[in-house]
Amino acid sequence: MSATAVAAPKVRAAGVRKSYGNLEVLKGIDLTVDQGEVLCLIGPSGSGKSTFLRCINHLEAIDSGRLWVGDTTVGYEQRGNKLYELSDKEICRQRTEVGMVFQHFNLFPHMTVLENLMEAPIRVLKQPRRQVRERALGLLAQVGLAEKAGSYPKSLSGGQQQRVAIARALCMQPSLMLFDEPTSALDPELVGDVLAVMRNLAETGMTMIVVTHEIGFARDVADRVAFFDGGQIVEVGPAADVITHPQQQRTREFLAAVR
Ligand code: ADP
Ligand code: MG
């Protein structure tokens, strides 16, 4: 990108609200994430972090407000001054541009590691097998698992499975990666390798939104950190500021509790 070019934000949320029955889980989220930015979402359990990620990836519909990924409104599209719900086909297309990694890796157990990576690009994107295979092998090398291409998921450690899940998401060539507590289910000694893969990915310029309790990772890797509490963003700013000098009492209490 030239120094004068200003890229549009990758994600924009404006007044996003979401309820489950009487429970309002997102109470007006305003947030932008720039191209190439790494944003970490921190906050207590039940504060709406996962729901927000799920809305970005069309896994949940929002009730009001607006949400865009790139130039496209999530769930709706604007024609003139009217909003239309997107067709399922358009939602599927948009979803292919967003990679998601969950706490539980959800690899296909009956497929090898390499087959796990190749499945969606071949089936969903209809890309040629040879091209997908080459990319998949490159990604396995990138996450340090080239030698596991022919292994089945159950023979891998949790940390290795999660690195496969990251490579599988990347094999779809997404322009945005969402991570929902990717290391929370791992034994402590396996966390570092997964965080290292995510750190390297951040350095390639990938736009990333990461829900995590790894405060050290957030401080070192994130450009900005947003603190969620009770369905709202209580505080958002440069990682060093929010983590080292939080302005809000609730942020201070949360950080004291998780460290
Ligand atoms: P977090 O990821 O910050 O822990 P979540 O977004 O998972 O929070 O959940 C926010 C609130 O929404 C919680 O009270 C949770 O119980 C509730 N919730 C999440 N998903 C559903 C659902 N599908 N149906 C009903 N309630 C839900
Ligand atoms: Mg969650």
Side-chain angles (χ1 to χ4, degrees):
M1 196 193 309
S2 80
T4 52
V6 179
K10 186 69 200 168
V11 178
R12 278 185 293 163
V16 167
R17 289 179 178 271
K18 169 76 186 171
S19 298
Y20 293 111
N22 292 330
L23 179 68
E24 193 172 31
V25 175
L26 299 177
K27 299 178 182 171
I29 302 293
D30 297 309
L31 189 69
T32 62
V33 183
D34 287 331
Q35 297 274 359
E37 189 176 23
V38 178
L39 176 81
C40 279
L41 303 183
I42 61 172
S45 180
S47 58
K49 306 178 301 295
S50 294
T51 303
F52 183 61
L53 286 193
R54 292 168 61 80
C55 289
I56 293 173
N57 204 18
H58 292 291
L59 296 170
E60 299 284 354
I62 65 175
D63 298 330
S64 65
R66 298 289 300 280
L67 187 55
W68 296 261
V69 175
D71 297 331
T72 327
T73 312
V74 172
Y76 300 88
E77 74 185 343
Q78 187 128 24
R79 289 187 218 138
N81 51 10
K82 273 190 135 179
L83 286 179
Y84 291 84
E85 257 187 271
L86 296 183
S87 66
D88 288 350
K89 193 173 163 204
E90 178 57 18
I91 287 177
C92 285
R93 190 198 65 76
Q94 285 191 23
R95 223 184 246 155
T96 65
E97 293 178 17
V98 182
M100 189 148 180
V101 174
F102 301 89
Q103 185 173 341
H104 299 286
F105 343 109
N106 306 325
L107 297 175
F108 306 121
H110 58 291
M111 293 183 188
T112 66
V113 164
L114 184 62
E115 287 164 353
N116 264 274
L117 267 67
M118 292 176 63
E119 177 70 9
I122 289 173
R123 297 236 174 196
V124 180
L125 302 180
K126 316 281 185 213
Q127 292 178 340
R129 174 170 286 274
R130 184 180 299 177
Q131 177 193 322
V132 173
R133 187 186 154 85
E134 214 163 284
R135 184 166 73 237
L137 289 170
L139 285 166
L140 287 176
Q142 187 181 321
V143 302
L145 293 172
E147 79 286 7
K148 299 291 186 188
S151 302
Y152 283 87
K154 68 172 187 297
S155 70
L156 305 184
S157 73
Q160 289 172 331
Q161 289 188 53
Q162 189 61 299
R163 286 186 279 151
V164 172
I166 293 170
R168 182 176 62 174
L170 292 173
C171 207
M172 288 291 279
Q173 302 177 290
S175 58
L176 169 67
M177 284 286 287
L178 309 177
F179 294 86
D180 195 352
E181 299 198 29
T183 60
S184 295
L186 300 178
D187 292 334
E189 73 273 21
L190 303 177
V191 168
D193 287 343
V194 173
L195 293 180
V197 163
M198 293 168 62
R199 183 187 295 256
N200 290 340
L201 183 60
E203 280 166 9
T204 68
M206 177 63 77
T207 310
M208 297 165 57
I209 305 180
V210 183
V211 175
T212 187
H213 295 299
E214 295 288 337
I215 302 301
F217 175 85
R219 186 190 55 226
D220 297 345
V221 180
D223 296 297
R224 287 187 306 149
V225 170
F227 174 63
F228 262 64
D229 195 14
Q232 291 175 311
I233 294 178
V234 172
E235 184 162 355
V236 56
D241 291 357
V242 174
I243 288 171
T244 318
H245 304 291
Q247 298 299 304
Q248 301 295 324
Q249 182 63 19
R250 278 194 282 170
T251 317
R252 284 197 282 271
E253 284 167 8
F254 174 77
L255 288 169
V258 295
R259 275 201 271 215

